[in-house]
């Protein structure tokens, strides 16, 4: 069981739920699966809190998402609600090479907007501007954050409300 689990963990960090599902597919007795999960947790290979930090960092690096969508993705990966709520208020610990990654919800929205526009300008047409706003909302950003990101992009400087 441990060999299968370590192989599965070798590609990327996993949640306890993901690993449990993977081990259950091998028709192992539940007590064997539980023992393997506990052993991997004790060894530090299985940690849902570390997974939440890693997932958030990967999202910030490759495809920033709003808090709501990020939390939905984590729930789909089997992260317990209490772990998500606990990690919600925790500031992300960034390595020196990650200093350019967005830290706040507004910075994530602005980075997503700039990526979507490929460095271009926002459209002048109100309908097209509305579509851009809806794009950001589908990425999990709340309406106020979307408005602030659009105003910031239009003015070229942070917006204080």
């Amino acid at each position: 069981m441990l060999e299968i689990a370590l192989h599965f963990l070798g590609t990327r960090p996993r949640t306890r739920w993901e690993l449990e599902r993977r081990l259950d597919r091998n028709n192992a007795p539940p007590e064997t699966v539980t023992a393997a999960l506990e052993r991997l947790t004790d060894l530090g290979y299985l940690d849902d809190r570390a997974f939440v930090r890693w997932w958030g960092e990967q999202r910030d690096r490759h495809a920033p998402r709003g808090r709501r969508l990020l939390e939905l993705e984590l729930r789909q990966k089997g992260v317990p609600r209490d772990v998500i709520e606990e990690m919600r208020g925790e500031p992300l610990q960034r390595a020196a090479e990650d200093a350019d990654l967005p830290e706040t919800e507004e910075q994530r929205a602005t980075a997503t907007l700039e990526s979507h526009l490929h460095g271009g300008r926002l459209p002048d047409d109100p309908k097209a501007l509305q579509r851009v706003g809806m794009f950001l909302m589908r990425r999990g950003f709340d309406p106020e954050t979307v408005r602030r990101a659009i105003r910031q992009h239009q003015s070229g400087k942070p917006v204080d409300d």
Side-chain angles (χ1 to χ4, degrees):
M1 247 337 91
L2 284 177
E3 185 176 322
I4 294 167
L6 289 171
H7 181 72
F8 190 57
L9 289 169
T11 56
R12 69 166 175 83
R14 308 283 180 168
T15 64
R16 182 180 183 91
W17 179 80
E18 288 178 303
L19 187 56
E20 185 175 9
R21 286 187 53 182
R22 175 64 180 89
L23 295 177
D24 282 343
R25 286 196 316 233
N26 284 0
N27 298 323
E31 56 275 356
T32 304
V33 171
T34 301
L37 293 171
E38 292 303 319
R39 178 74 175 137
L40 291 168
T41 300
D42 291 344
L43 292 172
Y45 288 112
L46 198 55
D47 181 357
D48 284 346
R49 286 167 181 75
F51 179 84
V52 169
R53 285 188 290 275
W54 176 82
W55 190 262
E57 180 182 308
Q58 292 303 306
R59 276 298 185 208
D60 285 349
R61 183 181 314 281
H62 302 291
R65 299 285 196 253
R67 182 182 53 82
R68 292 182 306 167
L69 188 57
L70 185 62
E71 289 178 6
L72 174 65
E73 289 176 343
L74 290 169
R75 283 195 304 272
Q76 290 172 341
K77 297 283 182 194
V79 177
R81 249 182 230 283
D82 61 321
V83 172
I84 292 171
E85 289 173 10
E86 177 185 320
M87 301 300 288
R88 184 180 295 154
E90 182 179 299
L92 293 174
Q93 306 293 318
R94 301 274 192 213
E97 64 271 9
D98 295 334
D100 60 334
L101 291 178
E103 293 181 19
T104 66
E105 190 80 352
E106 284 184 40
Q107 290 173 342
R108 284 183 193 88
T110 301
T112 302
L113 178 61
E114 289 172 4
S115 174
H116 179 67
L117 296 174
H118 305 290
R121 293 177 354 117
L122 280 168
D124 294 327
D125 175 34
K127 285 284 190 190
L129 194 57
Q130 183 180 21
R131 284 192 299 272
V132 169
M134 293 306 294
F135 165 79
L136 289 173
M137 289 181 69
R138 285 191 304 273
R139 295 301 180 275
F141 298 104
D142 64 86
E144 184 56 34
T145 302
V146 169
R147 283 190 288 275
R148 291 175 64 91
I150 288 173
R151 283 188 298 224
Q152 179 176 340
H153 189 79
Q154 287 171 326
S155 69
K157 57 186 178 222
V159 176
D160 293 327
D161 281 338

